[in-house]
Amino acid sequence: MLFRSDPRAALARKIARWLIRFPDVVAFTERQAHAGVKVEGLRADDVRSALSLLDEYGYVRRAPPVVLDTRGPGRPASPTWLVNPRWERAH
């Protein structure tokens, strides 16, 4: 699937396994992927880089950004990713 020597590939494989465990998931946020893989010391940039690698291989793609009113309190919305519907994720 992915090159084993690429450091982001290990995380990409973990994210792919997380998605395989939940085959009904068709869209997810970077924050959900971050929480789903449960890796200590993981940074948001690491997750984004791994998701970009999965995007390069056609497993997921980034959803178009949604324009929201950001004047209120709280964090900005986490980017959303879509799972390729042609990816057979059944166990």
Side-chain angles (χ1 to χ4, degrees), residues 23-37:
D24 293 335
V25 171
V26 295
F28 62 95
T29 65
E30 286 182 9
R31 202 169 281 133
Q32 289 171 319
H34 191 277
V37 294

Side-chain angles (χ1 to χ4, degrees), residues 7 10 13-15 29-30 35 45 49 54 56 59 62 77 91:
R13 282 191 298 275
K14 287 180 186 205
I15 293 171
T29 65
E30 286 182 9
D45 288 342
S49 178
L54 289 173
E56 289 173 29
Y59 291 96
R62 191 167 178 179
H91 291 45

Side-chain angles (χ1 to χ4, degrees), residues 16-90:
R17 284 193 299 268
W18 171 69
L19 289 168
I20 288 168
R21 284 196 319 267
F22 301 98
D24 293 335
V25 171
V26 295
F28 62 95
T29 65
E30 286 182 9
R31 202 169 281 133
Q32 289 171 319
H34 191 277
V37 294
K38 297 180 175 91
V39 174
E40 192 169 325
L42 187 61
R43 298 177 335 194
D45 288 342
D46 299 331
V47 173
R48 193 169 300 116
S49 178
L51 288 169
S52 293
L53 183 60
L54 289 173
D55 185 13
E56 289 173 29
Y57 280 87
Y59 291 96
V60 299
R61 69 179 171 90
R62 191 167 178 179
V66 177
V67 178
L68 300 173
D69 183 4
T70 58
R71 292 177 285 180
R75 294 181 183 181
S78 180
T80 299
W81 291 77
L82 305 172
V83 178
N84 184 341
R86 293 189 177 138
W87 178 22
E88 295 291 330
R89 293 186 284 163

